[in-house]
Amino acid sequence: METKLQGVLNSEIQSGSNANVPIEPVRAAFPALTRAPGFIFFDNAAGTQVPQIVLDAVNHHLLECNVQRGGRYAKSREVDATILRARRSVADLVNARDSSEIAFGMNATSFIRLVSLAIAQTIGKRNEIVVTDMDHEANVATWLALERNGARFLWWKVRDDGNLHVDDLIPLVSSKTRLVACTLASNAIGSIVDVAAAAKVAHAAGAEIFLDAVHYGPHGLIDVQAFDCGYLVCSGYKKLRLAPLSTKTSPEWMPQYVILKRSLRADPRKRCQGGFVCNRRSKPSEATKNRCRSKCFAS
């Protein structure tokens, strides 16, 4: 696995001259870059510019299929089919075992919160969560909020070289460890974490690992099987897709996704895509039914 991970983390984009890269056709694919006056986009941490093909997909949806999903009429079925294709495409992109492991939502932070709420319901004797001082605040404060649920926290700290070392994680995990939450790459200094090794340590103790790939995703290949993670979140708007424009459940502006552990997989036709996750194996409350935009309890 370590060998495979090394291949994953070594980007296919090699350093060196870009003289042979056809940069003008690439720039021409992004309408924003052809507007006068010309500009150089340095705000990539906030997201990416959008290519014409994405704008075309959004326009097609708004003009042809701007309807609620989950219905029995043709337009609604087309929306469902589009979401299914998108889920399969993302599964291929991140090398998921199955497309049913993919879920779309509003943003990575809200997904971290959703998973944390589910984890909170399973905290018992395993009540320790490992967090790091290199992660984005979203992957730290969200877990710290579980203190009220009885969670305890241990800190996996960065060394002077600016990275997390698995040797420092080993003494932090035990039979009490419920989860290790860490990033794939630092959003501040770009350090890349050996997450496969971290997963091996966590799993040896019977714990799970949650990965934040938001900052790594635009620069490297994601392989969830090589990482051997239970959960992974990533933001599509940092990878040439639109940022969320609405709370409406439409496939073209829900670019955030999460890889769910296999035990949470459900019939994708009946999975909520409205920004929260519900467990259909338990009887839902009326409030949950009313909030569910995908109407998955209708059948």
Side-chain angles (χ1 to χ4, degrees):
M1 180 176 292
E2 286 79 2
T3 302
K4 185 176 182 181
L5 177 67
Q6 191 62 38
V8 172
L9 296 184
N10 288 333
S11 174
E12 291 181 346
I13 302 176
Q14 303 295 325
S15 60
S17 172
N18 62 354
N20 296 324
V21 176
I23 192 63
E24 288 308 316
V26 173
R27 289 181 60 85
F30 294 80
L33 302 184
T34 65
R35 302 293 185 182
F39 70 100
I40 298 175
F41 184 70
F42 283 135
D43 197 19
N44 58 300
T48 56
Q49 296 299 307
V50 179
Q52 185 64 51
I53 190 172
V54 172
L55 297 174
D56 291 342
V58 172
N59 286 336
H60 172 78
H61 172 78
L62 292 176
L63 292 173
E64 305 293 338
C65 302
N66 191 17
V67 299
Q68 181 68 290
R69 66 179 296 263
R72 300 182 184 279
Y73 51 97
K75 293 290 187 181
S76 182
R77 289 177 181 272
E78 185 173 344
V79 174
D80 286 340
T82 298
I83 295 175
L84 181 59
R85 288 195 302 272
R87 187 178 289 112
R88 289 171 175 168
S89 295
V90 172
D92 289 340
L93 177 66
V94 301
N95 193 31
R97 292 182 179 87
D98 191 272
S99 61
S100 63
E101 295 179 356
I102 309 299
F104 298 126
M106 291 306 298
N107 53 61
T109 301
S110 66
F111 258 133
I112 298 174
R113 179 59 175 161
L114 290 170
V115 174
S116 76
L117 292 175
I119 295 293
Q121 298 179 45
T122 67
I123 290 178
K125 293 183 179 180
R126 284 186 175 273
N127 65 339
E128 294 183 352
I129 297 176
V130 178
V131 293
T132 87
D133 59 354
M134 192 172 82
D135 272 78
H136 188 282
E137 182 69 7
N139 202 30
V140 177
T142 306
W143 301 107
L144 296 182
L146 300 188
E147 183 177 12
R148 66 174 67 94
N149 298 94
R152 295 182 63 253
F153 306 96
L154 295 89
W155 288 87
W156 182 12
K157 295 186 177 181
V158 176
R159 289 191 188 180
D160 290 341
D161 64 357
N163 211 336
L164 297 168
H165 291 257
V166 175
D167 288 343
D168 299 329
L169 173 64
I170 294 174
L172 300 178
V173 300
S174 69
S175 60
K176 295 183 179 180
T177 306
R178 177 65 181 83
L179 184 82
V180 174
C182 71
T183 185
L184 262 164
S186 168
N187 64 302
I189 57 178
S191 301
I192 298 176
V193 181
D194 187 352
V195 293
K200 186 175 182 180
V201 170
H203 294 158
E208 297 180 306
I209 188 166
F210 183 104
L211 300 180
D212 180 352
V214 171
H215 310 288
Y216 177 83
H219 307 288
L221 297 177
I222 295 175
D223 187 333
V224 296
Q225 294 191 59
F227 298 160
D228 200 19
C229 54
Y231 315 86
L232 180 145
V233 290
C234 193
S235 295
Y237 73 90
K238 294 179 184 289
K239 301 176 70 174
L240 310 182
R241 294 206 51 189
L242 289 181
L245 300 177
S246 170
T247 59
K248 181 169 182 176
T249 308
S250 79
E252 303 302 341
W253 55 41
M254 293 198 308
Q256 324 306 326
Y257 49 87
V258 63
I259 313 304
L260 299 172
K261 59 182 293 189
R262 300 196 73 186
S263 62
L264 293 182
R265 294 190 314 187
D267 184 343
R269 295 169 299 175
K270 299 177 180 178
R271 173 172 303 154
C272 290
Q273 302 291 342
F276 62 96
V277 176
C278 54
N279 183 352
R280 300 189 78 247
R281 289 176 294 184
S282 59
K283 186 177 180 179
S285 66
E286 289 303 316
T288 299
K289 290 182 180 181
N290 293 335
R291 291 176 59 206
C292 180
R293 298 188 185 94
S294 61
K295 309 300 181 185
C296 64
F297 300 106
S299 59

